[in-house]
Amino acid sequence: MGSVQIVTTILAAGITAVAVWLAVRAVMKMTAVIRLGQPAPERFSDKGARTRKMLVETAGHTRMLKWGVVGAAHWFVMVGFIVLSLLVLEAYFEVVTPTGGLPIIGHWTIFGLATEVITVLGLVGILVLMAIRVRNRPSRPGGRSRFTGSTMWQGYFVEWIVLLVLIFGLVIRGFKVATDHFEYPVWATPVSHAVGAIVPDWSDGASVAALIKIVISMTWLIVISLNVTMGVAWHRFLAFPNIFFKRDPEKPAGSGLGPLRPMMSEGKPLDFEEADPEKDQFGVAQVEQFTWKGLLDFSTCTECGRCQSQCPAWNTGKPLSPKLLVLSLRDHAYAKAPYLLAGGGKDLTGEEKATQAQLAHLDVLSLAEGDKPLIGTAEEGGVIDPDVLWSCTTCGACVEQCPVDIEHVDHIVDMRRYQVLIESSFPSEAGVMLRNLENKGNPWGAPQNTREDWTKGLDFEVPRVGEVDDFEYLFWVGCAGAFEDRAKKTTRAVATLLNEAGVSFAILGEGETCSGDPARRIGNEFVFQMLAQQNVETLNEAFEGREKAKRKIVATCPHCFNTLGNEYGQLGGEFEVVHHTQLLAHLVSTGKLTPVQPVDGGVTYHDPCYLGRHNRVFAAPREVLGDAIQGELTEMPRNSERSFCCGAGGARMWMEEKIGKRINVDRVEEAMATGARTVAVGCPFCSTMLNDGVNGKGAGEQVEVVDVASVLLRSVKPEQPRGDKEATPVAG
């Protein structure tokens, strides 16, 4: 060992010891913070499925590759980070001797070839990612960036570190080539040999370059260890457990889509018959009241902004960005951690749990962080502004796009639950809706004895459960379908088509009440459970004696479809629920319905969030429309899983939109830009919002918003009048 190697070895050992010590300390701190969260025992179920999903999503990059070039570039960088860590290890042998290498595999030609290819592709990948970050920098002219609000220096730092590590890996090899100590042939490592033709024949070059590579790598480790909230770096490690512990590993997309988590306390679903607000947790009022998985979510955020770029609230000038919400919660959790770890915190009655002695050593900033309200205005020092919380439509675009499976919607609704149930703090106009749900069983406050008025004027009898001996499908009409004028047209169209196809169905009539979706999404879990338990009892009675496969429900509202099919199981209601577009597609494909008259003028389709993104029903409505128009749909740029919300979900249907551009207007402009005269929908909320948007644009004579069922009916029965006369509108 020469003098140069003695120096490089000592320096490499020294900086590595410091970096490892800081890294261990950082991991312990992060673990301590995450462990502050509430129990989530369900996250440990089905470890086999969880392991498979984690490997598929990470190795296969299934979420990232949806983004095309950026996904492919990120995959090469990820693989480079994992595989080329072996070359960082090899550098420790090279600082000792310039001819050093990894034991056993270090001289294998296949190892040299693999690492050469990965290095080159990693270089291309990181340069692409750097170019994308610069091109989309928040300071660029022309619009908001998905990186707005991200800590940009951290992203640039990580990318430059990756670039330099890859470059110096080639430089080390180049010096070995130049000194004739390289073990791999030209055909396997052409780039390394090309570098070797450029660098000088310096016998100590490999050791010095290896030291620089180690210093760069350990500098990265030191910096991220001193910045435990540096998600753009830490996600390299945290993404694996975060994906492993996702809510539902069997889901094809984001596991936080579809049903909401039940309201939990101490890791168990809350039983409202026995719950006590002074002993049981009602929603989330403090950051430590999120589950440990929630705190892991916040720690894992990469600040990539994909959630932000797809969020309808953010894209229309609202203060909500799913990314910034998560980052605010993350930063608050870590700033509050010293106070919590010292024994501090408020109990469920708001009293301080720690003694003065426990808190005596804390600095004033940690104590101040402990006093911050989780939800509050800037004047109140709140972590999350109320306008941020109530801007969410629960459309799930953030969850669907997140590459590391953060469950934004669950966290937002948990915070809403506390605000509604304990603080009684929510947009005032939504109070009317909640009172109507409690008193009338529907959000419009319509009389229950008018639930069957939509059947008037039909030329066939609509059977009721209890009046017929048997039926194949229970037709869940829903509140909109029973009371809202435009939605009643859809209800009549579906009933007519089912009757035409000879499908045996029945309705509950006055026995049906609201599914509870708007109550649950606004955060009033108590009203949701009251309605849901009533409906589950009614449905179980209607299906008495049938196994689940024969307890079939067809629903026209995706919100009812999602609630009945995905959430009633939490309360003992197991049913096979289909959306009407799925049933209609089946009836057309089996020849029970035959479109005869093409619908002209061009048709575009708007994917409802709770049908498409939340429940992955994309094909059925398109198949129905394709048969009805006997041609191709004109798709909007944002469609299928990237469809843009109408603005009505998350109980926003009953709240005023006072900030920024109206979401429905943004979507209507996109639909009108296709040139289609018919905008087909599969949801009564979407129908209302898009109709209002079209009328607001003064385009009611040029563009018609109509349900998929009505489009099909016009094709199956061309004599059907376009303006289906309705009963007297319900005031609401």
Side-chain angles (χ1 to χ4, degrees), residues 319-376:
L320 168 64
S321 156
K323 177 187 72 178
L324 298 181
L325 178 139
V326 166
L327 298 187
S328 296
L329 293 170
R330 178 198 69 189
D331 293 345
H332 173 58
Y334 281 86
K336 190 178 180 180
Y339 162 72
L340 295 172
L341 293 170
K346 305 293 192 295
D347 63 21
L348 294 173
T349 64
E351 295 296 318
E352 175 60 58
K353 292 188 288 187
T355 64
Q356 287 294 325
Q358 287 177 297
L359 304 179
H361 68 285
L362 294 179
D363 62 57
V364 66
L365 293 178
S366 296
L367 291 171
E369 202 72 32
D371 288 331
K372 279 188 177 181
L374 190 65
I375 307 298

Side-chain angles (χ1 to χ4, degrees), residues 64-281:
M64 286 291 295
L65 287 175
K66 291 185 292 187
W67 287 77
V69 172
V70 68
H74 191 276
W75 187 85
F76 288 126
V77 172
M78 180 200 72
V79 172
F81 175 78
I82 295 172
V83 175
L84 299 182
S85 296
L86 291 172
L87 296 188
V88 175
L89 177 62
E90 186 175 53
Y92 285 92
F93 293 91
E94 291 161 340
V95 294
V96 176
T97 172
T99 62
L102 281 178
I104 304 174
I105 65 172
H107 65 280
W108 292 355
T109 300
I110 189 65
F111 176 73
L113 172 63
T115 50
E116 183 89 350
V117 170
I118 293 171
T119 297
V120 173
L121 293 176
L123 277 169
V124 173
I126 197 62
L127 289 171
V128 168
L129 294 181
M130 292 173 80
I132 290 171
R133 187 177 293 273
V134 171
R135 188 185 66 195
N136 290 284
R137 65 194 184 281
S139 59
R140 84 197 195 290
R144 291 182 171 186
S145 161
R146 66 182 175 91
F147 292 118
T148 299
S150 297
T151 313
M152 293 302 287
W153 76 262
Q154 295 180 352
Y156 291 133
F157 171 78
V158 168
E159 288 167 348
W160 272 102
I161 288 290
V162 172
L163 179 65
L164 291 173
V165 167
L166 292 172
I167 288 173
F168 272 92
L170 290 173
V171 170
I172 294 169
R173 288 184 163 190
F175 277 120
K176 287 186 173 182
V177 170
T179 56
D180 201 25
H181 290 124
F182 198 50
E183 53 267 79
Y184 309 124
V186 176
W187 69 264
T189 53
V191 178
S192 296
H193 279 271
V195 174
I198 299 171
V199 300
D201 180 3
W202 181 23
S203 60
D204 295 323
S207 293
V208 173
L211 173 64
I212 296 173
K213 182 176 181 177
I214 290 170
V215 169
I216 293 170
S217 300
M218 293 304 108
T219 298
W220 173 80
L221 189 55
I222 289 169
V223 170
I224 73 167
S225 297
L226 295 173
N227 293 272
V228 290
T229 58
M230 194 171 175
V232 70
W234 282 106
H235 84 274
R236 294 183 176 193
F237 310 106
L238 297 179
F240 297 97
N242 208 55
I243 294 171
F244 180 88
F245 289 116
K246 61 161 54 181
R247 175 144 62 89
D248 186 351
E250 299 293 352
K251 280 203 171 180
S255 86
L257 295 172
L260 286 172
R261 288 179 71 249
M263 204 157 95
M264 310 288 281
S265 181
E266 294 295 328
K268 298 177 182 178
L270 196 66
D271 182 350
F272 277 100
E273 293 185 1
E274 300 178 359
D276 180 352
E278 294 189 0
K279 298 178 181 178
D280 297 299
Q281 183 178 315

Side-chain angles (χ1 to χ4, degrees), residues 455-525:
T455 64
K456 294 176 180 178
L458 292 174
D459 57 6
F460 58 91
E461 189 71 24
V462 177
R464 280 75 174 165
V465 172
E467 297 177 358
V468 290
D469 293 333
D470 196 19
F471 55 89
E472 184 179 4
Y473 285 96
L474 189 151
F475 181 13
W476 182 272
V477 177
C479 299
F483 301 122
E484 203 273 327
D485 288 338
R486 282 174 289 234
K488 283 194 282 186
K489 295 180 182 180
T490 301
T491 307
R492 292 162 65 89
V494 171
T496 301
L497 288 165
L498 295 181
N499 182 70
E500 183 78 10
V503 174
S504 171
F505 71 96
I507 62 171
L508 289 172
E510 294 182 26
E512 182 181 303
T513 190
C514 180
S515 68
D517 165 85
R520 187 168 230 198
R521 264 73 196 167
I522 203 173
N524 197 324
E525 186 75 3

